[in-house]
Amino acid sequence: MGRYQRQIQLSDFGQKAQNKISQSKVLVIGAGGLGCPVIMSLTAMGVGHIGIMDGDIVEITNLHRQYLYTEKDLNKLKTVVALQRLGEMNSEVHLESFPFFATAENLFSVIQNFDIIIDGTDQIPTRYLINDVCCVLKKPLVYGSVFRHEGQVSVFNVVQDGILSTNYRDLFPFPEKTQNTLSCNEAGVTGILPNLIGGFMANEAVKLITGVGKPLINKVLYYNSKTNFQSILQVSKNPENTYIFDKEVLEIYGEKIFCNPLEVEDINQILTHLKDKNQHVLVDVREENERPILPFGIKIPLNQLSEKINTLEKFNTLVFICQSGVRSAKALEWAQNNLSDTNVYHYKYGAAHFIKYCTHGN
Amino acid sequence: MIVKPFGKIVDVLQQDIVPENKYQNWMELQKHLFERFPELKNEHYLVAINHKIISEKENPDLQSGDEIALLPPFSGG
């Protein structure tokens, strides 16, 4: 009897599904509360190649929910411990470690070698980053997250009948609004919940690999461990999600995009602010001779802002822009000190980027 | 009609809400919720009506038996 006999003997699974599993390559980002049950399940089931990405070490507060680690592993890199233990569980699996945190600089090169990506991280900016990179590279993404006694699971970015399914930005299009979301460190979590949610996530990955079952594509599963209430919500393409997925922009600005909405705006936020031309205006603070010329907005060089304050006061929202984001940041600082009743932003990427990605008319 | 808060929104609404009055559409109901629970304005959540997520600008009409879920983003892992 082979080690996978009990799943192969399922009539709708069989050797065919097992072969697909043994040929699959899955990257798990985050080897914590969600990542541990995922990598343990996928290793046991015989996934051919598992990548584990995490720059963290094992801490005492991890042990109540991260069952892969023991007291002997404290202060060791999670990837080092995981590789050793998973290798003992199943020597047939090719395990590869990426002992660092996900960043815009490293994610593209790592993700492109895998078929399915699993997000078990615990920070909102990283979740947007992983989502965005998967959208650029068109990689299916299994998403899971927890809050106290509750969890969410979904599958993003799967091509079905030639159409790409929904992604995280269809649920929450505006990163700046999600900034106050609490992680487990702040909100607390029981030991069992992430293992349940991680189990759901591994299950979704196996469904994607084998084609057996219906993955949560265009759906979000909600689960509450206190009441056992669960609900599946239908997700549609969100018209508010007009984000332009772009490798170059992500590699340059990456997760910094989400740090401070006043300092960095994406094109779509800019366009939202500029919808009402009488109330909102794009203010180009470059000198007269600088190019490219912007298709709309007003021009006031940085050193003339004070004398043109009467013009600026007429608007309730100003978005400053310059060549590279330096002068617009200074303009933002000036406006924060001098225009207390005005909403002020600056566009960090500069005029050339704005022109390149501004496909909306105005 | 019932409004079900999830995650952090439970801290604001405390429990499922069954509005006493009839509200024609989602925006009207949300306005009522903002008046009753001013802190809700500071929260970020997606809205699902009868298990179907609506976008921020949609304002569907409501029927008496509708179930409205308010689900915020979770980040923990």
Side-chain angles (χ1 to χ4, degrees), chain A residues 33-34 122 127 145-146 148 150 152 172 177 181-182 222 231 233-234 238 240 275, chain B residues 6-8 11 44 46 48 51-53 55-57 71-77:
Chain A
L34 294 171
D122 63 357
R127 292 185 176 283
S145 59
V146 294
R148 295 178 187 157
E150 300 162 80
Q152 299 168 353
F172 299 105
K177 291 186 183 175
T181 308
L182 301 175
Y222 165 88
S231 180
L233 306 177
Q234 299 287 329
N238 190 332
E240 304 285 310
K275 266 180 191 161
Chain B
F6 296 125
K8 213 171 145 216
D11 296 349
H44 185 48
L46 58 78
H51 309 280
K52 193 173 179 308
I53 296 170
S55 76
E56 210 164 289
K57 287 185 182 154
L71 181 66
F74 296 171
S75 79

Side-chain angles (χ1 to χ4, degrees), chain A residues 25-30 49-55 79 94-118 129-130 133-134 137 139-140 247 251:
Chain A
K25 300 180 195 172
V26 180
L27 175 69
V28 182
I29 307 175
H49 181 179
I50 300 176
I52 303 162
M53 187 177 205
D54 200 322
T79 49
H94 172 213
L95 297 159
E96 185 176 12
S97 78
F98 302 94
F100 39 76
F101 293 109
T103 67
E105 289 77 26
N106 63 35
L107 261 188
F108 280 98
S109 62
V110 176
I111 281 183
Q112 64 191 8
N113 297 321
F114 291 88
D115 307 322
I116 291 170
I117 314 305
I118 299 187
L129 182 64
I130 293 168
V133 173
C134 285
L137 297 176
K139 297 283 184 181
K247 183 172 188 278
E251 282 189 326

Side-chain angles (χ1 to χ4, degrees), chain A residues 4-245:
Chain A
Y4 308 116
Q5 181 56 35
R6 291 295 176 263
Q7 60 199 33
I8 290 171
Q9 73 191 55
L10 289 166
S11 60
D12 56 355
F13 199 88
Q15 189 60 48
K16 196 176 161 192
Q18 189 61 45
N19 291 345
K20 287 181 182 173
I21 288 179
S22 67
Q23 287 159 15
S24 64
K25 300 180 195 172
V26 180
L27 175 69
V28 182
I29 307 175
L34 294 171
C36 281
V38 172
I39 50 184
M40 290 166 85
S41 302
L42 297 184
T43 299
M45 285 189 79
V47 166
H49 181 179
I50 300 176
I52 303 162
M53 187 177 205
D54 200 322
D56 222 347
I57 57 167
V58 179
E59 295 179 55
I60 188 79
T61 54
N62 298 152
L63 299 184
H64 82 122
R65 66 187 189 284
Q66 299 174 24
Y67 305 155
L68 191 59
Y69 312 121
T70 70
E71 291 175 7
K72 286 181 186 166
D73 303 321
L74 292 176
N75 299 315
K76 291 180 187 167
L77 267 172
K78 286 182 176 179
T79 49
V80 170
V81 180
L83 244 65
Q84 185 191 339
R85 204 134 298 145
L86 296 170
E88 289 164 4
M89 280 173 63
N90 190 344
S91 59
E92 294 176 4
V93 176
H94 172 213
L95 297 159
E96 185 176 12
S97 78
F98 302 94
F100 39 76
F101 293 109
T103 67
E105 289 77 26
N106 63 35
L107 261 188
F108 280 98
S109 62
V110 176
I111 281 183
Q112 64 191 8
N113 297 321
F114 291 88
D115 307 322
I116 291 170
I117 314 305
I118 299 187
D119 177 4
T121 62
D122 63 357
Q123 300 289 327
I124 287 282
T126 315
R127 292 185 176 283
Y128 275 97
L129 182 64
I130 293 168
N131 178 76
D132 295 354
V133 173
C134 285
C135 284
V136 172
L137 297 176
K138 296 194 167 45
K139 297 283 184 181
L141 172 63
V142 178
Y143 159 88
S145 59
V146 294
F147 177 80
R148 295 178 187 157
H149 303 278
E150 300 162 80
Q152 299 168 353
V153 183
S154 189
V155 171
F156 298 137
N157 220 24
V158 177
V159 179
Q160 278 188 318
D161 304 325
I163 298 168
L164 207 57
S165 71
T166 50
N167 65 72
Y168 190 62
R169 285 180 184 267
D170 289 303
L171 294 178
F172 299 105
F174 307 110
E176 73 279 7
K177 291 186 183 175
T178 63
Q179 285 191 106
N180 297 326
T181 308
L182 301 175
S183 72
C184 293
N185 293 349
E186 296 129 6
V189 69
T190 65
I192 294 167
L193 177 74
N195 285 281
L196 293 170
I197 298 300
F200 279 118
M201 293 166 71
N203 192 40
E204 292 307 303
V206 170
K207 285 193 258 180
L208 286 172
I209 294 165
T210 60
V212 179
K214 292 182 181 173
L216 290 163
I217 298 167
N218 298 326
K219 294 183 177 88
V220 182
L221 170 72
Y222 165 88
Y223 177 76
N224 185 319
S225 62
K226 269 164 82 180
T227 59
N228 277 323
F229 172 83
Q230 62 174 288
S231 180
I232 293 176
L233 306 177
Q234 299 287 329
V235 190
S236 306
K237 291 273 184 194
N238 190 332
E240 304 285 310
N241 176 11
T242 52
Y243 185 78
I244 299 157
F245 296 100

Side-chain angles (χ1 to χ4, degrees), chain B residues 9-33:
Chain B
I9 310 300
V10 178
D11 296 349
V12 179
L13 303 194
Q14 299 295 325
Q15 58 189 351
D16 292 355
I17 303 291
V18 180
E20 287 174 15
N21 299 327
K22 193 175 183 305
Y23 295 95
Q24 187 71 32
N25 53 47
W26 160 240
M27 294 292 180
E28 276 186 25
L29 174 58
Q30 184 170 244
K31 192 175 163 220
H32 159 74
L33 292 172

